[in-house]
Amino acid sequence: MNKARIVKTADNGFDKFRVFLLGLGHFTVDVYANLLPPLLPLFKQMYNLSYAAAAGLTSTFAVTSTLIQPIFGYIADRYGKKWIAALGVAWISVLMCLLGIAPGYAAIVAIVAFAGLGSAMFHPQGAAMVPKVSGDHKGVGVSIFSAGGSLGYSVMPLIAVMIVGWFGLRSLPLLIFPGLIVSYMLYRYAPDMEEDCRKSHIDLGQVLQEMGRVKAPLATLVTVVSLRAWVCSGMITFIPLYFALHFKNWTFMGHDLSLVAPGITLFIFLISNAIGGIIGGGASDKYGKKPVLVTAFFASLPFFYLAFTSPDALVWPFIAIAGGFIYAAYPGTVLQAQEMLPRTQGMAGGLILGFANGVGGLLVLLTGVISDHFGIFTGVMSLIGIAALAAFLSLAVPGDKALQAKVEAIEVPQAR
């Protein structure tokens, strides 16, 4: 066996190359996954869409990209096939770029639906690989992996605005090739996990049994993450739509920035997600996952409100702070799920990165309906209300010591 491709486990320390490679894979997947939101104002104008119809595109992607991730999570735990993660990157890069030549709204819906499968393939397998190569710094490893996705999400609005502005919508297929390169790198250098999966052979019945033993804390955690995902997916969907109106006819030093400013706002929100995720991952290792989770949720609330009620460019510092706080809680929730399900970390990643985020993404459709009936400002304020609900519910998530005691109580009888 090629030694360069053997997994470095926790006993061998933090494998920087593979951790950053998996972060690059996450970056690439989420670059293409976030191609849709900055195009929503354009599609809304081209096809005269309602807010619900525009949000429906986001929800469609959420269903196929996230709700079915637990299935791929089970495959990751059972077989550990890294080519699935590599295929996911190639799949989403090709299909999402076809949005540039889609002939109509129905075609956009179909492309978005099929493209989401690429994200579903990558995330559980990638999330399962990260702890294997992070040694004793799992919080840092997961935060780097999460930050890769956030960075990908953040840069795509600017890339899309520039590419479409300079070369037109039909030039998007030119962006396919970077995704294919990263896909090959993952296939060639990502850690092999098949031997680990054979040693810890687990069938679907055992997966369900393990989930049943921690059903109460797991259900609470998944609910909290689903609500957070509703807020984040809603912000990603409605920031371009809301600020297209907020910055309408806005000029700076004689330059018309009304088309660029919504993309800049989304970029700032998402880049702060990445920074917040890195800080939150390190803070979770140092201070505990629950304290970071609760603090981050409550701290985000006033800044979200200020972001949507402040004039002109004052929006940007407030949206940056809110975005950093709301995402600081994310790495800890992934680790909490994996600690609850230590033998099925792919399934744990599928639940948090997939199912919970999918539920949140699907609920964005409800925000679209609210916006159509009561106005987009009311729709955005409803998202802040959901963030407040998630903050209070996060108080019920078990702390690190309580969770460790519960998991150990479950494992001791099994050992006997």
Side-chain angles (χ1 to χ4, degrees), residues 147 150-151 270-280 324 327-328:
S150 298
L151 285 169
L270 292 169
I271 198 71
S272 68
N273 284 179
I275 296 169
I278 293 173
I279 295 172
Y327 214 83

Side-chain angles (χ1 to χ4, degrees), residues 339-360:
E339 289 170 1
M340 291 180 193
L341 302 171
R343 297 180 62 210
T344 57
Q345 295 196 351
M347 176 64 76
L351 284 170
I352 298 302
L353 295 171
F355 180 79
N357 283 331
V359 169

Side-chain angles (χ1 to χ4, degrees), residues 115-145:
L117 294 175
S119 180
M121 292 178 200
F122 174 81
H123 281 95
Q125 187 69 64
M129 290 175 178
V130 172
K132 296 286 185 183
V133 293
S134 297
D136 296 326
H137 303 283
K138 290 181 173 58
V140 175
V142 171
S143 68
I144 290 172
F145 180 75

Side-chain angles (χ1 to χ4, degrees), residues 341-393:
L341 302 171
R343 297 180 62 210
T344 57
Q345 295 196 351
M347 176 64 76
L351 284 170
I352 298 302
L353 295 171
F355 180 79
N357 283 331
V359 169
L362 190 59
L363 289 170
V364 173
L365 183 59
L366 179 58
T367 308
V369 173
I370 293 171
S371 298
D372 280 329
H373 283 81
F374 303 102
I376 191 170
F377 180 77
T378 303
V380 170
M381 289 299 106
S382 73
L383 291 174
I384 299 175
I386 296 302
L389 176 61
F392 283 103
L393 189 58

Side-chain angles (χ1 to χ4, degrees), residues 31-43 96-97 99-100 152-172 175 240 259-260 263-264 266-267:
V31 158
Y32 293 103
N34 206 35
L35 180 57
L36 176 63
L39 298 179
L40 287 178
L42 180 60
F43 289 148
M96 287 301 283
C97 289
L99 287 173
Y153 256 73
S154 66
V155 300
M156 179 47 83
L158 293 183
I159 294 173
V161 167
M162 289 188 294
I163 294 296
V164 174
W166 292 341
F167 304 108
L169 187 63
R170 299 185 67 84
S171 66
L172 288 181
L175 298 178
L259 296 177
V260 178
I264 293 174
L266 183 57
F267 167 76

Side-chain angles (χ1 to χ4, degrees), residues 68-81 84 120-121 124-125 128 197 200-208 211 343-351:
I68 64 172
Q69 276 191 34
I71 297 173
F72 286 102
Y74 171 72
I75 294 172
D77 291 326
R78 182 70 175 81
Y79 302 105
K81 299 288 188 180
I84 297 175
M121 292 178 200
Q125 187 69 64
C197 291
S200 59
H201 174 71
I202 186 168
D203 59 32
L204 185 58
Q206 290 173 304
V207 170
L208 296 176
M211 292 174 64
R343 297 180 62 210
T344 57
Q345 295 196 351
M347 176 64 76
L351 284 170

Side-chain angles (χ1 to χ4, degrees), residues 61-399:
F61 185 81
V63 170
T64 58
S65 67
T66 55
L67 282 177
I68 64 172
Q69 276 191 34
I71 297 173
F72 286 102
Y74 171 72
I75 294 172
D77 291 326
R78 182 70 175 81
Y79 302 105
K81 299 288 188 180
K82 67 179 183 180
W83 64 262
I84 297 175
L87 176 62
V89 175
W91 182 282
I92 194 171
S93 63
V94 171
L95 286 176
M96 287 301 283
C97 289
L98 294 181
L99 287 173
I101 55 175
Y105 180 73
I108 293 171
V109 172
I111 290 171
V112 166
F114 282 105
L117 294 175
S119 180
M121 292 178 200
F122 174 81
H123 281 95
Q125 187 69 64
M129 290 175 178
V130 172
K132 296 286 185 183
V133 293
S134 297
D136 296 326
H137 303 283
K138 290 181 173 58
V140 175
V142 171
S143 68
I144 290 172
F145 180 75
S146 299
S150 298
L151 285 169
Y153 256 73
S154 66
V155 300
M156 179 47 83
L158 293 183
I159 294 173
V161 167
M162 289 188 294
I163 294 296
V164 174
W166 292 341
F167 304 108
L169 187 63
R170 299 185 67 84
S171 66
L172 288 181
L174 297 175
L175 298 178
I176 290 173
F177 301 104
L180 299 181
I181 293 171
V182 174
S183 174
Y184 172 76
M185 290 176 65
L186 285 168
Y187 179 75
R188 180 68 178 84
Y189 298 111
D192 291 310
M193 294 184 64
E194 294 181 48
E195 185 175 347
D196 298 82
C197 291
R198 284 194 293 269
K199 288 180 180 178
S200 59
H201 174 71
I202 186 168
D203 59 32
L204 185 58
Q206 290 173 304
V207 170
L208 296 176
Q209 188 178 35
E210 286 215 349
M211 292 174 64
R213 291 192 181 103
V214 291
K215 58 185 177 183
L218 185 62
T220 302
L221 181 65
V222 170
T223 301
V224 169
V225 176
S226 297
L227 294 175
R228 188 203 68 87
W230 185 358
V231 175
C232 291
S233 296
M235 290 296 173
I236 291 169
T237 300
F238 283 94
I239 281 174
L241 295 170
Y242 179 86
F243 287 105
L245 300 174
H246 179 91
F247 289 114
K248 188 175 183 179
N249 299 322
W250 190 55
T251 61
F252 181 73
M253 297 181 66
H255 297 283
D256 183 5
L257 298 181
S258 57
L259 296 177
V260 178
I264 293 174
T265 309
L266 183 57
F267 167 76
I268 291 171
F269 175 72
L270 292 169
I271 198 71
S272 68
N273 284 179
I275 296 169
I278 293 173
I279 295 172
S284 295
D285 284 340
K286 186 174 182 179
Y287 301 109
K289 290 176 277 296
K290 181 175 179 177
V292 173
L293 176 69
V294 174
T295 301
F297 267 125
F298 278 103
S300 71
L301 299 177
F303 293 103
F304 270 128
Y305 179 78
L306 289 170
F308 289 94
T309 56
S310 298
D312 297 335
L314 285 177
V315 166
W316 292 338
F318 292 133
I319 203 72
I321 296 170
F325 275 124
I326 198 69
Y327 214 83
Y330 188 59
T333 58
V334 177
L335 287 173
Q336 281 178 308
Q338 291 178 335
E339 289 170 1
M340 291 180 193
L341 302 171
R343 297 180 62 210
T344 57
Q345 295 196 351
M347 176 64 76
L351 284 170
I352 298 302
L353 295 171
F355 180 79
N357 283 331
V359 169
L362 190 59
L363 289 170
V364 173
L365 183 59
L366 179 58
T367 308
V369 173
I370 293 171
S371 298
D372 280 329
H373 283 81
F374 303 102
I376 191 170
F377 180 77
T378 303
V380 170
M381 289 299 106
S382 73
L383 291 174
I384 299 175
I386 296 302
L389 176 61
F392 283 103
L393 189 58
S394 69
L395 295 169
V397 173

